Amino acid sequence: MRIRKKIFLAFFITTLLFLVFLSGTIFYLYYHPSSMKPLIEKYISRSTRSSFTIRKLSYSIKPLRIRAEGISFRPLENGPGLHLEIPDFMADIAIVGPFGHRSLTFKGIKIHGFSASFFQEMSFSQILLKRKSLSFFSRLFKGTVALFLFRDVKFQAAKIINGGITARL
């Protein structure tokens, strides 16, 4: 065998192993939503500099649906800021459009028992981080998601049942 064929074969085997590993990871996360819950909690907590927890998370592919129970969003150390409690959250989702230009569409969002409290000392700059420039791998991942999954997010309907908002100004 020539050296080019050996390099090509090694590259092909490495790519194939990577795809098998990626597929296995996706299937594992699909069948074990409890493994995905800590990743979501950690990501949202870190990006908003707050405490974010979900008591129970489940999702399905057919129909495409996400259900979460016991969502809690609080400032660190129970200080001033946004306090949010959502006992029951359900979202019906669809991915529509041609390949490469798909949209993630939330057909219906239902929230039962919504409770939010805002305090005078709170500002949204405390909650949201300033956007940093993306690294090469982040741009590559974002482009791959845009090509194979979806480019944008759309909302069609949302319903809040028995919700309440408290503001202290």
Side-chain angles (χ1 to χ4, degrees):
M1 272 174 102
R2 290 193 289 167
I3 192 88
R4 266 190 207 162
K5 287 183 180 180
K6 288 181 182 179
I7 291 173
F8 178 74
L9 184 62
F11 177 73
F12 179 74
I13 290 172
T14 304
T15 304
L16 187 62
L17 287 174
F18 175 74
L19 290 175
V20 167
F21 172 75
L22 185 63
S23 298
T25 302
I26 290 170
F27 281 122
Y28 178 79
L29 291 175
Y30 173 71
Y31 288 109
H32 299 90
S34 60
S35 301
M36 190 70 174
K37 186 177 77 96
L39 297 174
I40 294 170
E41 290 174 341
K42 186 177 178 181
Y43 175 77
I44 292 175
S45 293
R46 192 181 298 164
S47 64
T48 60
R49 292 187 214 147
S50 62
S51 172
F52 180 82
T53 57
I54 303 171
R55 189 176 69 243
K56 183 179 176 185
L57 176 68
S58 62
Y59 44 83
S60 65
I61 297 293
K62 290 188 181 180
L64 195 53
R65 179 175 290 159
I66 298 173
R67 182 172 188 134
E69 295 178 6
I71 298 173
S72 175
F73 184 86
R74 299 184 179 280
L76 293 175
E77 300 163 4
N78 284 329
L82 172 66
H83 295 262
L84 179 69
E85 298 288 331
I86 301 175
D88 189 29
F89 172 88
M90 189 174 75
D92 291 321
I93 305 167
I95 298 177
V96 296
F99 181 74
H101 298 286
R102 294 182 182 186
S103 296
L104 178 68
T105 304
F106 285 88
K107 296 189 298 185
I109 297 174
K110 294 177 185 169
I111 299 172
H112 296 277
F114 173 81
S115 170
S117 299
F118 301 93
F119 295 97
Q120 181 178 8
E121 299 85 11
M122 186 200 88
S123 71
F124 285 104
S125 62
Q126 293 172 333
I127 296 172
L128 302 174
L129 292 175
K130 294 180 180 167
R131 188 171 182 125
K132 298 184 242 179
S133 62
L134 298 175
S135 68
F136 171 74
F137 291 111
S138 296
R139 289 192 311 262
L140 181 66
F141 179 72
K142 185 178 177 182
T144 304
V145 167
L147 179 64
F148 291 107
L149 295 178
F150 57 89
R151 287 196 180 274
D152 59 349
V153 178
K154 297 178 182 178
F155 296 91
Q156 286 184 349
K159 184 191 286 188
I160 298 176
I161 300 170
N162 296 331
I165 297 175
T166 304
R168 296 183 196 156
L169 303 175

